[in-house]
Amino acid sequence: MALSRSVLRDLIGRQLAQQVRFAASAPATQPKKPEALSQETHARKHEGSVKKVEHEAMKVADPETPKVTSMFDEWGTVYVSPYTKNWKPMPKDFKEHPDRDLANFPHPEMKLRPDKVRLGFIPDKWFLAFYEKTGVTGPYLFGIGLWSFLISKEIVVLEEEMSHMPPLLFINYMVLRLFGHKVEGYYDEVIQNDQIGPLSAVRDQELTGVKQFRSYVDTANKAYDTLLEVLPEVRRENVALELEAVYRERVNQVYKETKRRVEYLVESESVKRRFEQQHMVNWIVDQVTKSFGPEQEKKIMSKCIGDLKTLAKSA
Amino acid sequence: MQVSRVARGLWVKPTTMQSHTLDTKPPAYIGRTFERAGVWFWNNILYYTRFGLRDARYNPNVHGPYLPSRYYGPKDKTFAEVKVGELPAWLGRRQKGLLPTYRLIARAHARWMQNYAMVRHGGWSHVWQGLFILALLCYIECWPKYRKWQQARYHW
């Protein structure tokens, strides 16, 4: 049944009126501006370990069969370096010079991750610039419109060699998502061990050396201060020790000298006495032998020989 | 009459790995003129310019470590914040010349490197950006070839 114009007008009018009423009743609120994506948004999702949900098909009754794993288990993990956890920020209000302008020229710091990019290469800042005027889909529609214009006007010619692009981009995306975290981990180790590790080690060694020197200087200063307090007594003690040593040396000298002289006297006297004794003995013996006659001599000789024989027999 | 026999033939210089450079070596006075001209240029002209030197307004006590991505001049509005009426005054305040232009490009490049390349976990974003620009430049170079596609009577 064909609808009459008046009926159509009424229907359309009612629809329009409904829309107007709906729009008027809705509160006039401005859309929330999205926050600029932070550096760590991407990392926040996958920080730590990836949630590995086991499917029921994987749970087998027989524990001897091996578990099935695939390279897609770690799809899109983000590598979090264990070395950057100890990165310390510069202390606030630290000035190398009193004139240092920290408000306009703050201390430079190395970034952990680059600025956010969409589709791999378009910075996120450009999207925010669009957002106020066009909303979330503005930049994408702008890109699609621009691309369609360029293709339709044949400013960008779609030739046969451009057909290589989509598969290559797809393969690159897959490879990066599957193995990017491993490559990043490997090169993180390389950078740490070959470039940043040695420099940090040198800096830490110099710091510890400086600290040790400071502590050594402090102890030396303390020792010097205590020494100053006891220095007079120490000096007195040293002098007293020296005097004692000299006194003892001299006493020893005296003892030796007296002993030497006394020994001399004793020796001289003993020598005299010994000489006298010997002389007397010899004189006596000579006199006795002179008083002997030849008969007595024979008797004594035979007796001596008899004694010797008996001695020899008994021996 | 006896004629002495001379060995006739095409005598070709034996070619070695370096013979083509030895044969065509230029005379020494040409290189020496360039050397002397360069030395004169450096001593009398370049020495008194600021090419290759840091900005004269940089003060290490005030600005700290030197970063090529930072501008060590007076504070001014960025191009995005300038209104159309203030443009001539703003342009008058900027430095014009060859060296300021080079420094502008160098600062932008250094800022880009700091943000995308000299980063602990850099990723591939700087690679894709560079490849995009390279592809664009190569396409522009091949543009005359692609004009034929535009001018063809029948398209795909």
Short mmCIF file of all heavy atoms in Angstrom, two decimals, chain A residues 15-35:
data_model
loop_
_atom_site.label_atom_id
_atom_site.label_comp_id
_atom_site.label_asym_id
_atom_site.label_seq_id
_atom_site.Cartn_x
_atom_site.Cartn_y
_atom_site.Cartn_z
N GLN A 15 9.43 11.39 13.77
CA GLN A 15 10.79 10.89 14.04
C GLN A 15 11.74 12.03 14.37
O GLN A 15 12.49 11.98 15.33
CB GLN A 15 11.31 10.14 12.79
CG GLN A 15 11.13 8.65 12.89
CD GLN A 15 11.79 7.93 11.75
OE1 GLN A 15 12.29 8.55 10.82
NE2 GLN A 15 11.79 6.63 11.82
N LEU A 16 11.67 13.09 13.57
CA LEU A 16 12.53 14.24 13.81
C LEU A 16 12.25 14.86 15.16
O LEU A 16 13.16 15.19 15.91
CB LEU A 16 12.34 15.28 12.70
CG LEU A 16 12.96 14.93 11.34
CD1 LEU A 16 12.44 15.90 10.29
CD2 LEU A 16 14.45 14.99 11.40
N ALA A 17 10.95 14.99 15.47
CA ALA A 17 10.61 15.57 16.76
C ALA A 17 11.16 14.72 17.90
O ALA A 17 11.69 15.25 18.89
CB ALA A 17 9.09 15.68 16.87
N GLN A 18 11.07 13.38 17.70
CA GLN A 18 11.60 12.49 18.74
C GLN A 18 13.10 12.72 18.93
O GLN A 18 13.61 12.83 20.04
CB GLN A 18 11.35 11.03 18.32
CG GLN A 18 10.82 10.19 19.44
CD GLN A 18 10.52 8.79 18.98
OE1 GLN A 18 10.92 8.37 17.90
NE2 GLN A 18 9.82 8.06 19.80
N GLN A 19 13.79 12.82 17.78
CA GLN A 19 15.25 13.03 17.87
C GLN A 19 15.57 14.34 18.55
O GLN A 19 16.46 14.41 19.38
CB GLN A 19 15.85 13.02 16.46
CG GLN A 19 16.04 11.63 15.91
CD GLN A 19 16.44 11.64 14.45
OE1 GLN A 19 16.78 12.69 13.92
NE2 GLN A 19 16.39 10.49 13.82
N VAL A 20 14.83 15.38 18.20
CA VAL A 20 15.09 16.68 18.80
C VAL A 20 14.85 16.61 20.29
O VAL A 20 15.64 17.12 21.09
CB VAL A 20 14.20 17.75 18.13
CG1 VAL A 20 14.18 19.01 18.96
CG2 VAL A 20 14.70 18.04 16.74
N ARG A 21 13.75 15.95 20.68
CA ARG A 21 13.44 15.86 22.10
C ARG A 21 14.55 15.11 22.83
O ARG A 21 14.99 15.50 23.89
CB ARG A 21 12.11 15.12 22.29
CG ARG A 21 11.05 15.97 22.95
CD ARG A 21 9.77 15.21 23.11
NE ARG A 21 8.94 15.24 21.90
CZ ARG A 21 8.35 14.17 21.38
NH1 ARG A 21 8.46 13.00 21.94
NH2 ARG A 21 7.63 14.27 20.26
N PHE A 22 15.01 14.01 22.18
CA PHE A 22 16.07 13.20 22.81
C PHE A 22 17.34 14.02 22.98
O PHE A 22 17.98 14.00 24.01
CB PHE A 22 16.34 11.96 21.94
CG PHE A 22 17.32 11.03 22.55
CD1 PHE A 22 17.00 10.25 23.64
CD2 PHE A 22 18.61 10.93 22.03
CE1 PHE A 22 17.91 9.39 24.20
CE2 PHE A 22 19.52 10.06 22.59
CZ PHE A 22 19.18 9.28 23.67
N ALA A 23 17.67 14.80 21.90
CA ALA A 23 18.89 15.59 21.98
C ALA A 23 18.77 16.68 23.02
O ALA A 23 19.71 16.97 23.74
CB ALA A 23 19.18 16.20 20.60
N ALA A 24 17.59 17.29 23.09
CA ALA A 24 17.42 18.37 24.07
C ALA A 24 17.46 17.84 25.48
O ALA A 24 17.96 18.52 26.39
CB ALA A 24 16.09 19.07 23.80
N SER A 25 16.90 16.61 25.67
CA SER A 25 16.86 16.09 27.04
C SER A 25 18.25 15.67 27.51
O SER A 25 18.53 15.69 28.69
CB SER A 25 15.92 14.89 27.12
OG SER A 25 16.47 13.85 26.36
N ALA A 26 19.10 15.29 26.57
CA ALA A 26 20.44 14.84 27.00
C ALA A 26 21.23 16.01 27.56
O ALA A 26 21.16 17.12 27.04
CB ALA A 26 21.17 14.22 25.81
N PRO A 27 21.98 15.81 28.63
CA PRO A 27 22.75 16.94 29.20
C PRO A 27 23.91 17.29 28.28
O PRO A 27 24.52 16.42 27.66
CB PRO A 27 23.26 16.39 30.54
CG PRO A 27 23.26 14.92 30.35
CD PRO A 27 22.18 14.58 29.37
N ALA A 28 24.20 18.61 28.23
CA ALA A 28 25.29 19.07 27.36
C ALA A 28 26.62 18.88 28.09
O ALA A 28 27.06 19.73 28.84
CB ALA A 28 25.07 20.54 27.01
N THR A 29 27.19 17.72 27.91
CA THR A 29 28.49 17.47 28.55
C THR A 29 29.56 17.32 27.47
O THR A 29 29.31 16.74 26.42
CB THR A 29 28.47 16.17 29.37
OG1 THR A 29 27.96 15.14 28.54
CG2 THR A 29 27.60 16.33 30.60
N GLN A 30 30.67 17.83 27.78
CA GLN A 30 31.78 17.70 26.83
C GLN A 30 32.42 16.33 26.98
O GLN A 30 32.52 15.81 28.09
CB GLN A 30 32.82 18.78 27.12
CG GLN A 30 32.54 20.06 26.36
CD GLN A 30 33.72 21.00 26.43
OE1 GLN A 30 34.51 20.89 27.39
NE2 GLN A 30 33.85 21.88 25.49
N PRO A 31 32.87 15.73 25.89
CA PRO A 31 33.50 14.42 26.03
C PRO A 31 34.83 14.54 26.76
O PRO A 31 35.52 15.54 26.69
CB PRO A 31 33.72 13.97 24.59
CG PRO A 31 33.72 15.21 23.80
CD PRO A 31 32.85 16.19 24.50
N LYS A 32 35.10 13.49 27.51
CA LYS A 32 36.34 13.50 28.29
C LYS A 32 37.53 13.37 27.35
O LYS A 32 37.54 12.53 26.45
CB LYS A 32 36.33 12.31 29.27
CG LYS A 32 36.11 12.72 30.70
CD LYS A 32 36.51 11.63 31.70
CE LYS A 32 35.72 10.39 31.54
NZ LYS A 32 36.12 9.33 32.48
N LYS A 33 38.51 14.18 27.60
CA LYS A 33 39.71 14.10 26.79
C LYS A 33 40.53 12.91 27.31
O LYS A 33 40.73 12.77 28.51
CB LYS A 33 40.52 15.38 26.94
CG LYS A 33 41.65 15.49 25.97
CD LYS A 33 42.22 16.87 25.91
CE LYS A 33 43.49 16.83 25.08
NZ LYS A 33 44.13 18.09 24.98
N PRO A 34 40.98 12.06 26.42
CA PRO A 34 41.70 10.90 26.94
C PRO A 34 43.07 11.31 27.45
O PRO A 34 43.69 12.23 26.95
CB PRO A 34 41.84 10.00 25.72
CG PRO A 34 41.83 10.92 24.58
CD PRO A 34 40.95 12.07 24.96
N GLU A 35 43.51 10.62 28.47
CA GLU A 35 44.85 10.88 28.98
C GLU A 35 45.88 10.44 27.97
O GLU A 35 45.68 9.47 27.26
CB GLU A 35 45.07 10.10 30.28
CG GLU A 35 44.40 10.76 31.48
CD GLU A 35 44.52 9.85 32.70
OE1 GLU A 35 45.44 9.02 32.75
OE2 GLU A 35 43.68 9.95 33.57
#
